[in-house]
Amino acid sequence: MANKTKETYKFLLMDSIKIFAPATVANVACGFDIFGFAVDAPGDEVIVRKRTDKQIVITQITGDEGKLTYDISKNTVSVPILKYLQYTQISEGFDIELHKKMPLGSGLGSSSASSVAGVFAVNELLGKPLVSKDLLPFSMEGERVACGSAHADNVAPALLGGFVVVRSYNPLDVFKVPTPSELFVTIVHPDIEVNTKDARHILRNEVSMKNTIAQMGNVAGMIAGLMQADYQLIANSMIDFIIEPVRAILIPEFFEVKNAALDAGALGCSISGAGPSIFAFSKGLETAEKVGIAMKSSFEKVGIIANAYVSGINQEGPKIIG
């Protein structure tokens, strides 16, 4: 208890904190709205400072090309903080700086990273009255602001790190799945934009029994493959019968890029979140880097500029960087 008191006192002495929260890949091919994992880069940075009054103020936003609002009731970085303070009944004021380090509408959980970084920062400044997992419902409210749905497949891995499964939304139940040490992800983000709301709007409300059964098999196979470090099973399970065929039409050259990834040695390839980013799993860093070159080149052959990121599975989630 004495150590906990000292730790809490140390945080109470802090007036400001800088947090990094990672980008995430959601859906992961077969796991629409239930699978997600965190990556090492890119991510968002948030600086939170205590105020002498009780106001919550966004003082600066960078990297958004002027697209994001300073209205605290509508920005994904501040809404989770407001919900958190309301829940904990803590009366405290904060200045917030949001530094976007990844594109908006990228399919990499941009809004989730902001949501997680903000509420994580405030919880740290206040001496961590809540454990990280308890911050999830507040982070999800940022997603509601961003796309109209408080889903957890991006915010959960951004907050908890690792590969996360959302087992249930009512009640909310998430858990982490261990991943093989040699599993690497390549993410390629083309310089095009896909609106998340539009990407959800085009989805079918009903799917066939045949596709449902096939998808369930791949979901089970993915979990087993990750837990057993069975790379062939992971590869076999990275087939999406329901979402990818519909959303692929929103991403120019999707199938060409996917084939380039597979030809370069990827285990599998699919859309990251709602797109337009595309991700691929590989065994080993060297293969993942080759896959990135192939995917990026496939986009650039038709004049689409693209950025590539290669990462392991980020097991840490948000972290203090200043």
Side-chain angles (χ1 to χ4, degrees), residues 42-157:
D44 280 354
E45 295 176 5
V46 168
I47 300 172
V48 177
R49 298 182 178 88
K50 290 182 179 179
R51 292 174 59 96
T52 56
D53 57 25
K54 307 304 179 184
Q55 294 187 71
I56 307 298
V57 180
I58 300 174
T59 59
Q60 185 181 17
I61 303 174
T62 64
D64 68 325
E65 299 179 346
K67 295 178 180 179
L68 297 181
T69 180
Y70 280 74
D71 184 339
I72 62 170
S73 68
K74 297 179 180 179
N75 192 298
T76 60
V77 73
S78 50
V79 168
I81 294 174
L82 295 173
K83 297 291 185 181
Y84 169 92
L85 294 174
Q86 181 182 10
Y87 174 83
T88 57
Q89 298 184 334
I90 294 174
S91 181
E92 186 70 71
F94 298 99
D95 284 333
I96 306 166
E97 291 183 21
L98 172 59
H99 301 287
K100 300 297 296 181
K101 301 293 185 176
M102 59 175 136
L104 305 181
S106 59
L108 296 176
S110 175
S111 58
S112 296
S114 301
S115 298
V116 165
V119 74
F120 184 86
V122 167
N123 191 58
E124 291 285 329
L125 279 179
L126 294 175
K128 298 194 285 191
L130 299 181
V131 299
S132 290
K133 193 170 184 178
D134 289 341
L135 303 178
L136 183 55
F138 312 118
S139 301
M140 290 170 62
E141 290 304 313
E143 288 291 78
R144 191 188 304 278
V145 170
C147 66
S149 175
H151 56 274
D153 52 343
N154 284 114
V155 289

Side-chain angles (χ1 to χ4, degrees), residues 159-195:
L159 179 64
L160 304 175
F163 191 107
V164 176
V165 177
V166 184
R167 189 201 65 81
S168 169
Y169 279 94
N170 188 23
L172 182 62
D173 183 15
V174 305
F175 63 91
K176 294 176 66 171
V177 176
T179 55
S181 60
E182 282 297 298
L183 185 66
F184 284 82
V185 61
T186 304
I187 301 172
V188 174
H189 172 66
D191 188 20
I192 58 177
E193 187 170 342
V194 173
N195 184 280

Side-chain angles (χ1 to χ4, degrees), residues 260-271:
L262 297 174
D263 289 343
L267 298 171
C269 179
S270 191
I271 302 168

Side-chain angles (χ1 to χ4, degrees), residues 20 22 37-41 157 160-163 176 311-317:
F20 168 87
F37 64 87
V39 297
D40 293 327
L160 304 175
F163 191 107
K176 294 176 66 171
S311 169
I313 307 299
N314 178 341
Q315 301 294 337
E316 185 178 8

